[in-house]
Amino acid sequence: MAFRHRPAKPRTGSPAPEPVANWSNLSRADEVEIHGHGQAIASGRIDMLALDGSVLWLEQNGGKGRALFLHSDGVRVYRRPTNRGD
């Protein structure tokens, strides 16, 4: 029996996270990834956010607790798109 190699189908289920330069555009309960030096360093749900977008507290995935991130530290935030209509 011969097997044919099939190219992998692109994933269409979940779009890629979108970068958010102005943290004041984020909301509590947004699911985000935090990147530093080009790689993901944390992910989870925003727990608290300063009105001016200078600081956010992240409730990290995997039971890792809360972490504080400062916009001035140069980390990047990527918001995960929500699945509406589930």
Side-chain angles (χ1 to χ4, degrees), residues 29-86:
D30 276 347
E31 292 286 331
V32 298
E33 291 179 2
I34 309 291
H35 289 232
H37 303 291
Q39 59 185 192
I41 57 174
S43 64
R45 180 185 53 82
I46 294 177
D47 185 41
M48 296 180 79
L49 178 67
L51 291 175
D52 66 357
S54 61
V55 175
L56 68 80
W57 278 98
L58 184 71
E59 184 66 42
Q60 299 180 87
N61 292 336
K64 295 180 182 176
R66 293 173 74 211
L68 175 69
F69 293 94
L70 306 174
H71 194 278
S72 62
D73 285 344
V75 295
R76 303 185 102 197
V77 174
Y78 291 80
R79 179 177 20 219
R80 292 187 185 144
T82 57
N83 294 329
R84 303 209 190 286
D86 284 346

Side-chain angles (χ1 to χ4, degrees), residues 2-6:
F3 291 96
R4 291 178 40 196
H5 175 71
R6 292 184 184 172

